[in-house]
Amino acid sequence: MMSDSEFVLREDNSVYETEEPVLYSVADGIATVTMNRPGFNNAQNSQMTYALDAALRQAVNDDAVKVIVLRGAGKHFSAGHDIGTPGRDINKEFERAHLWWDHTNKPGGEQLYAREQEVYLGMCRRWRELPKPTIAMVQGACIAGGLMLAWVCDLIVASDDAFFQDPVVRMGIPGVEYFAHPYEMDPRIAKEFLFTGDRMPAARAYEVGMVNRVVSREELEATTYALAEKVAKQPRMGLALTKQAINHVEDLAGKRTAMDAVFAWHHFAHAHNELLSGDKLGGFDAKGMAQANKQAAGDGKPA
């Protein structure tokens, strides 16, 4: 019989393709934070997550920065959480940003529960609440964990070829950990979005209020930075207070407590999957999910 005093030895076999998973620069009062794993469609491993946290902290601490732009290098904004690249570092210990213990040696459901409190739900809440305006510049795929990164930003500018998708119900899981779906869109639309796992084109995302502006891929960067420059002209404290006010209204509407509940259901689903199949992700790896996404899109071609 296993008790919570029994620990597990897990080997870390991750191999990173870059030592710079996030790039950072500042110009004209705008900090640019760029996800830099284009070879893996900016899949988010812990290396990237902690690098994002460090870059955002740097932007907050720099009094010259008024606005932060989050973007992804390459063809896609982000294909989601890393569930299958050589750099998947789920068994690597990092210096944690929140007061949760290390997950790497914990048994059973405790492993993922502790890890995702830290790097998924905890980090996203941390970034949503930073006091400077953030703008997501989204092109191509914004899938699952990619949604979380876009949704924590205050504004989203998307290219007309961008699409948004949360296909994790296919894994038996009720949406990604930062469960903002019924706050980003009407609940009935959120149900369809999750039930089908279909891609939502940028134009539809604009219609449902998820996206602020949709422009061509060629205009995306100029439009995003023009918006950032306009926001940056406002007083720093006024922007911070306005952001706090609107975030507070969302939380009064139940956003934070809803996420706590859904996070628990999310991890029940992981445990249920493991009991049924021995795999927390319902038998899907990165290649399996990518193939299923292509088939769901109906074209059989790479996104």
Side-chain angles (χ1 to χ4, degrees), residues 227-244:
L227 179 59
E229 289 169 7
K230 188 170 186 177
V231 173
K233 292 177 181 177
Q234 300 282 27
R236 179 178 58 252
M237 195 60 180
L239 290 170
L241 293 175
T242 301
K243 179 169 179 170
Q244 280 189 317

Side-chain angles (χ1 to χ4, degrees), residues 32-91:
T32 299
V33 177
T34 304
M35 293 177 282
N36 187 40
R37 300 188 73 202
F40 295 109
N41 297 327
N42 297 317
Q44 305 154 42
N45 56 7
S46 291
Q47 180 203 33
M48 176 184 280
T49 301
Y50 284 99
L52 281 170
D53 191 61
L56 292 169
R57 178 185 287 276
Q58 185 174 350
V60 170
N61 289 341
D62 184 349
D63 286 341
V65 171
K66 295 289 293 292
V67 179
I68 302 164
V69 171
L70 175 65
R71 61 190 296 178
K75 186 177 180 181
H76 299 291
F77 178 75
S78 176
H81 295 143
D82 187 341
I83 60 172
T85 82
R88 189 182 191 222
D89 49 11
I90 188 172
N91 294 331

Side-chain angles (χ1 to χ4, degrees), residues 36-174:
N36 187 40
R37 300 188 73 202
F40 295 109
N41 297 327
N42 297 317
Q44 305 154 42
N45 56 7
S46 291
Q47 180 203 33
M48 176 184 280
T49 301
Y50 284 99
L52 281 170
D53 191 61
L56 292 169
R57 178 185 287 276
Q58 185 174 350
V60 170
N61 289 341
D62 184 349
D63 286 341
V65 171
K66 295 289 293 292
V67 179
I68 302 164
V69 171
L70 175 65
R71 61 190 296 178
K75 186 177 180 181
H76 299 291
F77 178 75
S78 176
H81 295 143
D82 187 341
I83 60 172
T85 82
R88 189 182 191 222
D89 49 11
I90 188 172
N91 294 331
K92 185 184 292 292
E93 183 176 357
F94 288 82
E95 183 177 348
R96 292 169 296 284
H98 303 96
L99 294 176
W100 266 93
W101 50 75
D102 175 49
H103 70 281
T104 59
N105 65 345
K106 300 305 184 294
E110 185 178 0
Q111 178 205 13
L112 281 188
Y113 191 89
R115 179 176 187 258
E116 295 184 1
Q117 282 279 2
E118 166 77 1
V119 298
Y120 294 162
L121 183 60
M123 287 294 195
C124 284
R125 283 177 167 173
R126 178 183 179 88
W127 300 336
R128 172 181 178 258
E129 294 170 3
L130 65 86
K132 296 183 179 181
T134 53
I135 304 175
M137 190 180 98
V138 178
Q139 83 283 7
C142 182
I143 301 174
L147 290 172
M148 293 165 56
L149 296 181
W151 285 348
V152 299
C153 292
D154 302 302
L155 306 175
I156 300 175
V157 181
S159 62
D160 54 13
D161 62 353
F163 66 88
F164 303 82
Q165 183 181 24
D166 189 355
V168 302
V169 173
R170 187 181 301 135
M171 297 175 167
I173 298 169

Side-chain angles (χ1 to χ4, degrees), residues 10 28 185 221 226:
R10 296 186 176 93
D28 302 321
M185 59 193 98
E221 182 172 302

Side-chain angles (χ1 to χ4, degrees), residues 81 116 120-122 124-125 128 144-145 147-149 151-152 166 168-169 173-187 189-195 250-251 253-267:
H81 295 143
E116 295 184 1
Y120 294 162
L121 183 60
C124 284
R125 283 177 167 173
R128 172 181 178 258
L147 290 172
M148 293 165 56
L149 296 181
W151 285 348
V152 299
D166 189 355
V168 302
V169 173
I173 298 169
V176 289
E177 295 83 355
Y178 183 83
F179 192 84
H181 308 63
Y183 298 91
E184 295 289 340
M185 59 193 98
D186 182 87
I189 296 172
K191 287 178 181 178
E192 181 182 359
F193 185 69
L194 285 165
F195 287 173
E250 284 189 311
D251 289 340
K255 186 174 185 177
R256 187 177 184 89
T257 52
M259 282 187 187
D260 286 336
V262 178
F263 188 80
W265 294 325
H266 181 104
H267 284 277

